[in-house]
Amino acid sequence: QINAAIGNQTFENSMFVIKDSIIQLGNFRAANPKIFVINPQAVKLLTEQGWDKIKFRDAVIDMCKRRVGDVKRTGGLSVTYKNHWSKVADPDDDESLVPAMMPGQGLQILVSGGWGSASSQCLWIDSVHGTPNTRKINWQWA
């Protein structure tokens, strides 16, 4: 869970919190697909700032990178991962950047939940076992 506080602080600060949550070394497992769940309140605030889903997705992907030198310190992550860090960045250059997700469909954005406090909660889910498949479900209460 990420307390990105979208709407409760500057947008820049909220994006920094999202980035920091996704790229923390304790959860950094190569450039695996991720699902990012954001609530409707945050979506409204993003829209009011001129952001759409694609612009937001691409900005998150672009900013979520770690130095090879940092990622090496995580130890024995399996090199069998499709997008293992050594396959998406130069393993001999400690300053080379490892993406947390691949561009485009490496990050799926879902809108879920209801209206909460101004400290909009978000969630990201990391997939190490393949590509997530999603489909839109229209739900109506009886």
Side-chain angles (χ1 to χ4, degrees):
Q1 179 174 321
I2 304 169
N3 185 357
I6 297 172
N8 197 31
Q9 61 173 323
T10 68
F11 184 71
E12 183 179 286
N13 285 350
S14 294
M15 293 296 278
F16 178 84
V17 171
I18 290 168
K19 170 189 167 184
D20 190 64
S21 297
I22 292 174
I23 66 168
Q24 63 169 306
L25 281 178
N27 288 321
F28 205 97
R29 297 181 183 100
N32 293 325
K34 292 177 180 47
I35 298 174
F36 191 88
V37 183
I38 189 168
N39 72 18
Q41 180 178 354
V43 171
K44 180 179 183 294
L45 293 167
L46 287 167
T47 302
E48 290 171 354
Q49 294 291 316
W51 289 71
D52 63 16
K53 183 189 256 186
I54 301 302
K55 182 178 177 181
F56 178 73
R57 178 201 69 193
D58 291 348
V60 171
I61 289 171
D62 187 53
M63 70 181 179
C64 289
K65 297 174 181 157
R66 292 293 306 235
R67 291 176 53 255
V68 164
D70 294 337
V71 178
K72 283 180 179 178
R73 299 181 82 173
T74 63
L77 295 177
S78 175
V79 295
T80 62
Y81 286 164
K82 180 180 178 183
N83 294 314
H84 186 267
W85 65 267
S86 64
K87 297 174 185 173
V88 296
D90 182 352
D92 298 321
D93 179 2
D94 282 353
E95 298 304 315
S96 181
L97 295 176
V98 180
M101 303 148 272
M102 296 306 287
Q105 297 302 312
L107 179 63
Q108 299 287 322
I109 307 288
L110 281 81
V111 179
S112 182
W115 292 83
S117 68
S119 62
S120 196
Q121 301 294 313
C122 306
L123 172 71
W124 68 271
I125 303 165
D126 187 24
S127 173
V128 297
H129 301 292
T131 304
N133 292 304
T134 61
R135 65 184 170 101
K136 184 176 181 177
I137 300 173
N138 292 316
W139 182 274
Q140 293 184 334
W141 294 98

